[in-house]
Short mmCIF file of all heavy atoms in Angstrom, two decimals:
data_model
loop_
_atom_site.label_atom_id
_atom_site.label_comp_id
_atom_site.label_asym_id
_atom_site.label_seq_id
_atom_site.Cartn_x
_atom_site.Cartn_y
_atom_site.Cartn_z
N ILE A 2 0.85 -1.19 0.02
CA ILE A 2 0.00 0.03 0.00
C ILE A 2 0.90 1.22 -0.01
O ILE A 2 1.89 1.30 0.75
CB ILE A 2 -0.96 -0.01 1.21
CG1 ILE A 2 -1.96 1.17 1.11
CG2 ILE A 2 -0.21 -0.02 2.54
CD1 ILE A 2 -3.11 1.03 2.11
N ARG A 3 0.54 2.22 -0.85
CA ARG A 3 1.26 3.45 -0.88
C ARG A 3 0.91 4.39 0.23
O ARG A 3 -0.21 4.33 0.74
CB ARG A 3 1.06 4.11 -2.25
CG ARG A 3 1.59 3.32 -3.44
CD ARG A 3 1.29 3.99 -4.73
NE ARG A 3 1.99 5.26 -4.90
CZ ARG A 3 2.03 5.98 -6.02
NH1 ARG A 3 1.42 5.56 -7.07
NH2 ARG A 3 2.70 7.13 -6.06
N GLY A 4 1.82 5.25 0.59
CA GLY A 4 1.59 6.17 1.70
C GLY A 4 0.87 7.46 1.31
O GLY A 4 0.07 7.95 2.11
N ASN A 5 1.14 7.96 0.12
CA ASN A 5 0.62 9.27 -0.26
C ASN A 5 -0.68 9.24 -1.02
O ASN A 5 -1.41 10.25 -0.96
CB ASN A 5 1.67 9.99 -1.13
CG ASN A 5 2.91 10.34 -0.39
OD1 ASN A 5 2.87 10.66 0.80
ND2 ASN A 5 4.03 10.26 -1.04
N VAL A 6 -1.00 8.17 -1.67
CA VAL A 6 -2.24 8.04 -2.40
C VAL A 6 -2.92 6.70 -2.05
O VAL A 6 -2.29 5.79 -1.58
CB VAL A 6 -2.03 8.16 -3.91
CG1 VAL A 6 -1.48 9.51 -4.27
CG2 VAL A 6 -1.12 7.08 -4.42
N ASP A 7 -4.19 6.65 -2.31
CA ASP A 7 -4.95 5.44 -2.00
C ASP A 7 -4.80 4.44 -3.14
O ASP A 7 -5.68 4.38 -4.05
CB ASP A 7 -6.41 5.81 -1.80
CG ASP A 7 -7.26 4.62 -1.28
OD1 ASP A 7 -6.67 3.65 -0.86
OD2 ASP A 7 -8.48 4.68 -1.38
N ARG A 8 -3.73 3.68 -3.15
CA ARG A 8 -3.52 2.66 -4.15
C ARG A 8 -2.84 1.49 -3.51
O ARG A 8 -1.92 1.61 -2.74
CB ARG A 8 -2.67 3.18 -5.31
CG ARG A 8 -2.54 2.19 -6.44
CD ARG A 8 -1.88 2.81 -7.65
NE ARG A 8 -1.82 1.84 -8.75
CZ ARG A 8 -1.35 2.10 -9.96
NH1 ARG A 8 -0.88 3.37 -10.22
NH2 ARG A 8 -1.34 1.15 -10.88
N THR A 9 -3.32 0.26 -3.89
CA THR A 9 -2.79 -0.95 -3.37
C THR A 9 -2.33 -1.89 -4.51
O THR A 9 -2.73 -1.71 -5.67
CB THR A 9 -3.84 -1.73 -2.48
OG1 THR A 9 -5.00 -1.89 -3.26
CG2 THR A 9 -4.18 -0.87 -1.26
N TYR A 10 -1.48 -2.86 -4.16
CA TYR A 10 -0.93 -3.79 -5.08
C TYR A 10 -1.03 -5.18 -4.49
O TYR A 10 -0.80 -5.34 -3.29
CB TYR A 10 0.52 -3.49 -5.42
CG TYR A 10 0.77 -2.07 -5.89
CD1 TYR A 10 0.87 -1.03 -5.00
CD2 TYR A 10 0.83 -1.78 -7.25
CE1 TYR A 10 1.13 0.30 -5.42
CE2 TYR A 10 1.05 -0.50 -7.72
CZ TYR A 10 1.19 0.53 -6.78
OH TYR A 10 1.41 1.81 -7.20
N TYR A 11 -1.32 -6.19 -5.31
CA TYR A 11 -1.50 -7.56 -4.85
C TYR A 11 -0.86 -8.52 -5.85
O TYR A 11 -0.90 -8.32 -7.03
CB TYR A 11 -2.97 -7.95 -4.64
CG TYR A 11 -3.69 -7.10 -3.63
CD1 TYR A 11 -4.37 -5.99 -3.99
CD2 TYR A 11 -3.64 -7.47 -2.28
CE1 TYR A 11 -5.02 -5.22 -3.03
CE2 TYR A 11 -4.29 -6.71 -1.34
CZ TYR A 11 -4.98 -5.57 -1.73
OH TYR A 11 -5.61 -4.81 -0.75
N SER A 12 -0.34 -9.62 -5.31
CA SER A 12 0.10 -10.72 -6.15
C SER A 12 -1.13 -11.42 -6.75
O SER A 12 -2.22 -11.38 -6.15
CB SER A 12 0.97 -11.67 -5.37
OG SER A 12 0.18 -12.39 -4.41
N ASP A 13 -0.94 -12.06 -7.86
CA ASP A 13 -2.03 -12.77 -8.47
C ASP A 13 -2.60 -13.87 -7.62
O ASP A 13 -3.81 -14.17 -7.67
CB ASP A 13 -1.60 -13.36 -9.82
CG ASP A 13 -1.32 -12.34 -10.89
OD1 ASP A 13 -1.83 -11.19 -10.76
OD2 ASP A 13 -0.62 -12.62 -11.87
N SER A 14 -1.80 -14.48 -6.81
CA SER A 14 -2.19 -15.58 -5.98
C SER A 14 -3.14 -15.21 -4.86
O SER A 14 -3.88 -16.08 -4.34
CB SER A 14 -1.00 -16.38 -5.43
OG SER A 14 -0.26 -15.52 -4.55
N VAL A 15 -3.15 -13.94 -4.43
CA VAL A 15 -4.00 -13.55 -3.30
C VAL A 15 -5.04 -12.47 -3.69
O VAL A 15 -5.94 -12.14 -2.89
CB VAL A 15 -3.12 -12.99 -2.14
CG1 VAL A 15 -2.09 -13.97 -1.74
CG2 VAL A 15 -2.53 -11.63 -2.49
N LYS A 16 -4.96 -11.92 -4.90
CA LYS A 16 -5.86 -10.92 -5.32
C LYS A 16 -7.31 -11.38 -5.25
O LYS A 16 -7.64 -12.48 -5.71
CB LYS A 16 -5.54 -10.44 -6.74
CG LYS A 16 -6.31 -9.23 -7.18
CD LYS A 16 -5.81 -8.75 -8.55
CE LYS A 16 -6.53 -7.45 -8.96
NZ LYS A 16 -6.04 -6.97 -10.26
N GLY A 17 -8.15 -10.59 -4.62
CA GLY A 17 -9.55 -10.95 -4.43
C GLY A 17 -9.82 -11.67 -3.12
O GLY A 17 -10.99 -11.78 -2.70
N ARG A 18 -8.79 -12.14 -2.43
CA ARG A 18 -8.94 -12.80 -1.15
C ARG A 18 -8.32 -12.02 0.01
O ARG A 18 -8.84 -12.03 1.10
CB ARG A 18 -8.28 -14.18 -1.21
CG ARG A 18 -8.89 -15.13 -2.23
CD ARG A 18 -8.27 -16.56 -2.09
NE ARG A 18 -6.85 -16.59 -2.30
CZ ARG A 18 -5.96 -17.02 -1.44
NH1 ARG A 18 -6.40 -17.44 -0.21
NH2 ARG A 18 -4.68 -17.04 -1.70
N PHE A 19 -7.20 -11.33 -0.27
CA PHE A 19 -6.51 -10.61 0.80
C PHE A 19 -6.70 -9.13 0.53
O PHE A 19 -6.86 -8.67 -0.60
CB PHE A 19 -5.01 -10.91 0.77
CG PHE A 19 -4.59 -12.26 1.18
CD1 PHE A 19 -5.54 -13.30 1.38
CD2 PHE A 19 -3.26 -12.58 1.35
CE1 PHE A 19 -5.17 -14.56 1.73
CE2 PHE A 19 -2.87 -13.88 1.72
CZ PHE A 19 -3.83 -14.85 1.95
N SER A 20 -6.61 -8.33 1.59
CA SER A 20 -6.63 -6.86 1.49
C SER A 20 -5.67 -6.26 2.50
O SER A 20 -5.60 -6.71 3.63
CB SER A 20 -8.02 -6.31 1.62
OG SER A 20 -8.58 -6.57 2.89
N ILE A 21 -4.97 -5.20 2.04
CA ILE A 21 -4.08 -4.52 2.93
C ILE A 21 -4.64 -3.14 3.28
O ILE A 21 -5.31 -2.51 2.44
CB ILE A 21 -2.65 -4.35 2.23
CG1 ILE A 21 -1.65 -3.77 3.23
CG2 ILE A 21 -2.75 -3.52 0.99
CD1 ILE A 21 -0.21 -3.83 2.67
N SER A 22 -4.41 -2.71 4.50
CA SER A 22 -4.90 -1.43 4.97
C SER A 22 -3.94 -0.82 5.99
O SER A 22 -3.11 -1.53 6.50
CB SER A 22 -6.31 -1.53 5.53
OG SER A 22 -6.34 -2.39 6.67
N ARG A 23 -4.14 0.49 6.25
CA ARG A 23 -3.27 1.10 7.20
C ARG A 23 -4.04 2.02 8.10
O ARG A 23 -5.08 2.58 7.72
CB ARG A 23 -2.14 1.86 6.54
CG ARG A 23 -2.58 3.00 5.67
CD ARG A 23 -1.44 3.46 4.77
NE ARG A 23 -0.30 3.89 5.50
CZ ARG A 23 0.99 3.92 5.02
NH1 ARG A 23 1.20 3.53 3.77
NH2 ARG A 23 1.95 4.36 5.76
N ASP A 24 -3.57 2.21 9.33
CA ASP A 24 -4.20 3.17 10.28
C ASP A 24 -3.07 4.04 10.82
O ASP A 24 -2.27 3.65 11.67
CB ASP A 24 -4.82 2.37 11.46
CG ASP A 24 -5.58 3.30 12.41
OD1 ASP A 24 -5.37 4.50 12.36
OD2 ASP A 24 -6.40 2.76 13.19
N ASN A 25 -2.97 5.24 10.24
CA ASN A 25 -1.86 6.13 10.61
C ASN A 25 -2.00 6.70 11.99
O ASN A 25 -1.03 7.18 12.55
CB ASN A 25 -1.79 7.26 9.56
CG ASN A 25 -1.26 6.82 8.22
OD1 ASN A 25 -0.50 5.87 8.15
ND2 ASN A 25 -1.67 7.51 7.18
N THR A 26 -3.21 6.68 12.59
CA THR A 26 -3.33 7.12 13.95
C THR A 26 -2.69 6.19 14.94
O THR A 26 -2.39 6.59 16.04
CB THR A 26 -4.83 7.33 14.31
OG1 THR A 26 -5.53 6.09 14.32
CG2 THR A 26 -5.50 8.31 13.32
N LYS A 27 -2.54 4.91 14.56
CA LYS A 27 -1.94 3.93 15.42
C LYS A 27 -0.58 3.42 14.92
O LYS A 27 0.06 2.60 15.63
CB LYS A 27 -2.88 2.69 15.50
CG LYS A 27 -4.22 3.01 16.20
CD LYS A 27 -5.07 1.76 16.28
CE LYS A 27 -6.40 2.04 16.95
NZ LYS A 27 -7.25 0.80 17.02
N ASN A 28 -0.14 3.90 13.78
CA ASN A 28 1.09 3.41 13.19
C ASN A 28 1.07 1.89 12.97
O ASN A 28 2.01 1.19 13.26
CB ASN A 28 2.29 3.77 13.99
CG ASN A 28 2.89 5.13 13.61
OD1 ASN A 28 2.45 5.77 12.61
ND2 ASN A 28 3.82 5.64 14.39
N THR A 29 -0.05 1.42 12.47
CA THR A 29 -0.20 0.01 12.17
C THR A 29 -0.70 -0.17 10.74
O THR A 29 -1.31 0.70 10.14
CB THR A 29 -1.18 -0.70 13.11
OG1 THR A 29 -2.47 -0.09 13.03
CG2 THR A 29 -0.71 -0.58 14.56
N PHE A 30 -0.42 -1.32 10.16
CA PHE A 30 -1.03 -1.74 8.92
C PHE A 30 -1.35 -3.24 8.99
O PHE A 30 -0.63 -4.00 9.61
CB PHE A 30 -0.22 -1.33 7.72
CG PHE A 30 1.09 -1.97 7.58
CD1 PHE A 30 1.32 -3.03 6.69
CD2 PHE A 30 2.23 -1.49 8.29
CE1 PHE A 30 2.58 -3.60 6.54
CE2 PHE A 30 3.48 -2.04 8.18
CZ PHE A 30 3.68 -3.10 7.28
N ASP A 31 -2.45 -3.57 8.33
CA ASP A 31 -2.98 -4.92 8.49
C ASP A 31 -3.06 -5.67 7.17
O ASP A 31 -3.06 -5.07 6.06
CB ASP A 31 -4.40 -4.83 9.09
CG ASP A 31 -4.47 -4.30 10.51
OD1 ASP A 31 -3.40 -4.21 11.15
OD2 ASP A 31 -5.55 -3.99 10.99
N LEU A 32 -3.19 -6.98 7.28
CA LEU A 32 -3.47 -7.82 6.12
C LEU A 32 -4.64 -8.66 6.48
O LEU A 32 -4.51 -9.59 7.35
CB LEU A 32 -2.25 -8.68 5.76
CG LEU A 32 -2.41 -9.51 4.51
CD1 LEU A 32 -2.48 -8.68 3.25
CD2 LEU A 32 -1.32 -10.58 4.41
N GLN A 33 -5.80 -8.43 5.87
CA GLN A 33 -6.96 -9.26 6.05
C GLN A 33 -6.91 -10.39 5.04
O GLN A 33 -6.86 -10.19 3.83
CB GLN A 33 -8.24 -8.44 5.87
CG GLN A 33 -9.52 -9.22 5.99
CD GLN A 33 -9.75 -9.80 7.35
OE1 GLN A 33 -9.56 -9.09 8.37
NE2 GLN A 33 -10.16 -11.07 7.48
N MET A 34 -6.91 -11.62 5.56
CA MET A 34 -6.80 -12.81 4.70
C MET A 34 -8.05 -13.62 4.79
O MET A 34 -8.38 -14.15 5.84
CB MET A 34 -5.59 -13.65 5.12
CG MET A 34 -4.28 -12.86 5.16
SD MET A 34 -2.83 -13.94 5.52
CE MET A 34 -3.22 -14.41 7.20
N ASN A 35 -8.77 -13.73 3.69
CA ASN A 35 -10.00 -14.44 3.62
C ASN A 35 -9.85 -15.65 2.66
O ASN A 35 -8.95 -15.70 1.86
CB ASN A 35 -11.16 -13.58 3.10
CG ASN A 35 -11.43 -12.39 3.98
OD1 ASN A 35 -11.33 -12.49 5.23
ND2 ASN A 35 -11.82 -11.28 3.40
N SER A 36 -10.75 -16.61 2.79
CA SER A 36 -10.73 -17.79 1.93
C SER A 36 -9.35 -18.42 1.90
O SER A 36 -8.81 -18.74 0.81
CB SER A 36 -11.23 -17.43 0.54
OG SER A 36 -12.52 -16.87 0.56
#
């Protein structure tokens, strides 16, 4: 995930199942893994 703009990138093997996000108020970023 980029810091300055809202754009994400995924490998073909996880696209549609995983999502990356960030919370700058907590200095954390997450990976939600489904299916």
Side-chain angles (χ1 to χ4, degrees):
I2 185 168
R3 295 178 66 172
N5 293 326
V6 298
D7 187 17
R8 186 170 182 179
T9 56
Y10 305 84
Y11 297 95
S12 68
D13 290 339
S14 63
V15 307
K16 190 174 183 179
R18 299 188 299 122
F19 292 9
S20 63
I21 187 171
S22 61
R23 64 195 300 158
D24 185 344
N25 288 332
T26 66
K27 298 181 179 180
N28 271 351
T29 61
F30 63 103
D31 294 348
L32 183 70
Q33 178 66 44
M34 305 185 295
N35 299 325
S36 302

